[in-house]
Amino acid sequence: MTGLETAFTPLQSLAGGVLIGVSAVLLMALQGRILGATGILSGLLTAGSPGDRSWRAMMIAGMIAGPLLVLAATGQMPAVDVPVSLPMILVGGFIVGIGVTFGSGCTSGHGVCGMARLSRRSFAATATFMAVCFLTVYVIRHLLGV
Amino acid sequence: MRLLSAFVVGLIFGAGIAISGMINPAKVLNFFDIAGTWDPSLIFVMGGALITTFLGYRVVLHRPAPLLEDRFQLPTNTRIDRRLIGGAALFGLGWGIAGFCPGAALPALGSGKGEVFAFVVALLAGISVARMILAYRARVDATA
């Protein structure tokens, strides 16, 4: 099986990417922190101070409100099409959770903030997860035909 | 102030994820499917985010301290070890299976779709299990 076709959107994607960058720079300017979804989420699970937990919760609330802001501005809800079965979502999600914890970061932390700091660790991590993801999608779609 | 600024930062991030198409697993998986329904859009997401952050960090990190805290909290670990590479490889595997990465899944919760909630619950379970393994290992190392 092949995936659902999606349109090539270079300008929108670039604009969205710039916004992601702006948010990362703002967090560094304001709180002096790396904007990593893994770090922000997993900090919520550890028993930090209540103040520490509340800014993390607020940031996640803001993230969740992001697509609603786009809906309000454009009148259109951004598409979220899931071409994957529920068991694969659950298995994949669990593996992602293990991986980002051992690897200390994900696409935002390593791929954007870490590489922007020219961190060798982040270049190594990003190259690894991108390569494995390409391979995984190839195997699933073209060898297993799921 | 810290709470409001955290919300605004999250909002800009979430809007960026939504506008860029990162929020859509169909699009993300197509980026990785060069042999099939390839959609190269995500190169532009990564490029836009990286260039903006690279330039912005150069300005911000020249300052003595962030606006709302005493100091910058930057990672100091520089070791490229098995834990980093193994973890990143597992992340790539899970990303390719599910189509969501953590930074895309959190804004995608705003769509209200059940699959996104399922992913985030599984993600939190994986993070918790990995933390337990790391804590156990640290205890064993401490007593060894």
Side-chain angles (χ1 to χ4, degrees):
Chain A
M1 192 190 97
T2 53
L4 216 60
E5 293 266 355
T6 52
F8 178 49
T9 54
L11 287 180
Q12 275 182 42
S13 289
L14 185 70
V18 168
L19 280 181
I20 295 168
V22 166
S23 67
V25 174
L26 265 180
L27 186 65
M28 189 59 80
L30 292 164
Q31 287 186 240
R33 285 177 177 277
I34 295 284
L35 202 172
T38 296
I40 287 156
L41 189 62
S42 90
L44 256 189
L45 297 177
T46 48
S49 66
D52 187 59
R53 266 205 294 273
S54 51
W55 74 258
R56 292 169 191 275
M58 283 303 278
M59 188 170 300
I60 292 173
M63 288 181 183
I64 295 171
L68 305 174
L69 178 71
V70 174
L71 169 67
T74 65
Q76 232 184 349
M77 191 66 182
V80 180
D81 305 311
V82 185
V84 170
S85 67
L86 186 62
M88 278 169 75
I89 289 271
L90 292 173
V91 169
F94 187 77
I95 297 174
V96 169
I98 304 258
V100 295
T101 306
F102 277 93
S104 312
C106 55
T107 329
S108 46
H110 279 311
V112 176
C113 297
M115 294 217 297
R117 287 177 60 233
L118 307 179
S119 151
R120 283 177 59 233
R121 259 171 74 81
S122 293
F123 277 99
T126 306
T128 305
F129 63 66
M130 296 295 279
V132 174
C133 196
F134 274 112
L135 202 68
T136 304
V137 171
Y138 183 81
V139 169
I140 289 176
R141 288 195 173 173
H142 299 287
L143 299 185
L144 302 177
V146 179
Chain B
M1 193 56 207
R2 219 167 60 144
L3 293 183
L4 179 68
S5 74
F7 183 82
V8 171
V9 167
L11 192 64
I12 297 172
F13 179 85
I17 292 284
I19 292 169
S20 68
M22 276 295 291
I23 197 169
N24 190 357
K27 200 168 176 70
V28 172
L29 287 172
N30 279 349
F31 171 71
F32 288 106
D33 191 9
I34 296 183
T37 46
W38 194 44
D39 175 357
S41 305
L42 294 205
I43 293 172
F44 291 82
V45 185
M46 201 71 180
L50 251 179
I51 292 168
T52 307
T53 310
F54 176 76
L55 296 176
Y57 274 8
R58 300 205 74 155
V59 177
V60 167
L61 291 173
H62 260 295
R63 303 171 60 93
L67 292 169
L68 304 178
E69 304 282 344
D70 306 334
R71 58 190 179 84
F72 292 106
Q73 293 188 32
L74 300 174
T76 51
N77 184 356
T78 54
R79 265 198 332 221
I80 297 177
D81 51 15
R82 264 197 353 219
R83 184 181 146 183
L84 177 77
I85 300 301
L90 277 178
F91 167 39
L93 175 67
W95 195 11
I97 293 172
F100 279 114
C101 60
L106 293 175
L109 284 172
S111 73
K113 289 212 167 179
E115 293 103 321
V116 191
F117 286 88
F119 176 84
V120 172
V121 168
L123 172 71
L124 289 170
I127 292 175
S128 305
V129 168
R131 282 176 162 284
M132 284 190 275
I133 296 171
L134 288 173
Y136 173 75
R137 272 203 203 159
R139 268 206 310 278
V140 170
D141 286 350
T143 52

